[in-house]
Protein backbone atom coordinates (compact mmCIF):
# COMPACT_ATOMS: atom_id res chain seq x y z
CA UNK A 1 0.00 0.00 0.00
CA UNK A 2 1.43 3.36 -1.01
CA UNK A 3 1.70 6.00 1.69
CA UNK A 4 -0.29 8.57 -0.24
CA UNK A 5 -3.14 6.35 -1.40
CA UNK A 6 -5.99 5.81 1.09
CA UNK A 7 -7.75 2.48 0.75
CA UNK A 8 -10.70 2.93 3.10
CA UNK A 9 -9.50 -0.11 5.04
CA UNK A 10 -7.80 1.71 7.91
CA UNK A 11 -9.18 1.42 11.42
CA UNK A 12 -9.67 5.18 11.16
CA UNK A 13 -13.12 4.75 9.63
CA UNK A 14 -14.33 2.40 12.35
CA UNK A 15 -13.03 4.86 14.95
CA UNK A 16 -14.99 7.70 13.34
CA UNK A 17 -18.17 5.64 13.49
CA UNK A 18 -17.73 5.30 17.27
CA UNK A 19 -17.78 9.06 17.86
CA UNK A 20 -20.97 10.07 19.64
CA UNK A 21 -21.08 13.86 19.94
CA UNK A 22 -19.98 16.83 17.81
CA UNK A 23 -17.53 17.83 20.59
CA UNK A 24 -15.99 14.36 20.66
CA UNK A 25 -15.78 14.39 16.86
CA UNK A 26 -14.09 17.80 16.86
CA UNK A 27 -11.57 16.72 19.48
CA UNK A 28 -10.83 13.50 17.58
CA UNK A 29 -10.12 15.39 14.37
CA UNK A 30 -7.94 17.85 16.30
CA UNK A 31 -5.94 14.84 17.48
CA UNK A 32 -5.41 13.31 14.03
CA UNK A 33 -5.35 16.34 11.72
CA UNK A 34 -3.16 19.40 11.48
CA UNK A 35 -4.82 22.78 11.89
CA UNK A 36 -4.57 23.31 8.11
CA UNK A 37 -6.13 19.93 7.31
CA UNK A 38 -9.04 20.43 9.68
CA UNK A 39 -9.57 23.98 8.46
CA UNK A 40 -9.61 22.77 4.83
CA UNK A 41 -12.17 20.05 5.61
CA UNK A 42 -14.43 22.51 7.43
CA UNK A 43 -14.12 25.00 4.58
CA UNK A 44 -15.03 22.39 1.97
CA UNK A 45 -18.03 21.23 3.98
CA UNK A 46 -19.18 24.86 4.36
CA UNK A 47 -18.77 25.31 0.61
CA UNK A 48 -20.83 22.17 -0.02
CA UNK A 49 -23.61 23.50 2.22
CA UNK A 50 -23.64 26.81 0.36
CA UNK A 51 -23.65 25.13 -3.05
CA UNK A 52 -26.55 22.96 -1.91
CA UNK A 53 -28.34 26.19 -0.93
CA UNK A 54 -27.71 27.44 -4.52
CA UNK A 55 -25.31 30.21 -3.47
CA UNK A 56 -23.19 31.64 -6.28
CA UNK A 57 -19.41 31.24 -6.50
CA UNK A 58 -18.61 34.89 -5.81
CA UNK A 59 -20.68 34.85 -2.60
CA UNK A 60 -19.03 31.60 -1.51
CA UNK A 61 -15.56 33.00 -2.27
CA UNK A 62 -16.31 36.10 -0.23
CA UNK A 63 -17.73 34.20 2.76
CA UNK A 64 -15.14 31.39 2.89
CA UNK A 65 -11.99 32.82 1.32
CA UNK A 66 -11.86 29.75 -0.94
CA UNK A 67 -10.58 29.91 -4.49
CA UNK A 68 -12.87 29.24 -7.43
CA UNK A 69 -10.85 26.06 -8.07
CA UNK A 70 -11.70 24.67 -4.62
CA UNK A 71 -15.36 25.63 -5.02
CA UNK A 72 -15.42 23.98 -8.44
CA UNK A 73 -13.89 20.80 -7.03
CA UNK A 74 -16.51 20.63 -4.27
CA UNK A 75 -19.21 21.26 -6.87
CA UNK A 76 -17.91 18.34 -8.99
CA UNK A 77 -18.05 16.08 -5.93
CA UNK A 78 -21.62 17.15 -5.16
CA UNK A 79 -22.65 16.45 -8.74
CA UNK A 80 -20.96 13.04 -8.82
CA UNK A 81 -23.31 10.10 -9.18
CA UNK A 82 -22.50 8.53 -5.83
CA UNK A 83 -21.72 11.58 -3.68
CA UNK A 84 -22.10 10.72 -0.01
CA UNK A 85 -21.50 14.38 0.78
CA UNK A 86 -24.57 15.34 -1.28
CA UNK A 87 -26.60 12.65 0.49
CA UNK A 88 -25.56 13.98 3.89
CA UNK A 89 -26.61 17.51 2.94
CA UNK A 90 -29.89 16.73 1.19
CA UNK A 91 -31.39 13.71 2.92
CA UNK A 92 -32.87 13.83 6.42
CA UNK A 93 -30.94 11.92 9.09
CA UNK A 94 -32.11 8.38 9.81
CA UNK A 95 -34.78 8.25 12.45
CA UNK A 96 -36.35 11.57 11.45
Amino acid sequence: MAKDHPTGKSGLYQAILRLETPEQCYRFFQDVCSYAELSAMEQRFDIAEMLTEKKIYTDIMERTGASSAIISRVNRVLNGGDSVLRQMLTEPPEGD
Side-chain angles (χ1 to χ4, degrees):
M1 175 173 67
K3 287 182 183 181
D4 61 346
H5 186 68
T7 64
K9 296 178 182 173
S10 167
L12 171 70
Y13 306 103
Q14 290 300 318
I16 291 169
L17 291 174
R18 292 180 19 217
L19 300 171
E20 296 179 6
T21 66
E23 174 64 22
Q24 189 181 36
C25 187
Y26 173 67
R27 290 177 46 216
F28 174 82
F29 280 108
Q30 280 187 311
D31 288 348
V32 298
C33 296
S34 69
Y35 176 83
E37 292 165 333
L38 189 53
S39 180
M41 286 192 294
E42 285 187 7
Q43 181 189 60
R44 289 176 185 193
F45 191 84
D46 292 345
I47 290 166
E49 286 181 316
M50 288 183 235
L51 287 168
T52 302
E53 295 166 357
K54 307 294 186 204
K55 303 283 190 225
I56 60 173
Y57 275 37
T58 53
D59 290 343
I60 296 170
M61 290 170 69
E62 187 176 299
R63 290 180 60 190
T64 66
S67 68
S68 61
I70 293 294
I71 298 168
S72 180
R73 184 197 183 292
V74 173
N75 195 44
R76 279 193 305 276
V77 167
L78 287 175
N79 290 314
D82 60 349
S83 173
V84 175
L85 179 58
R86 183 183 65 243
Q87 284 179 327
M88 300 217 38
L89 293 170
T90 60
E91 295 178 4
E94 288 184 25
D96 281 358

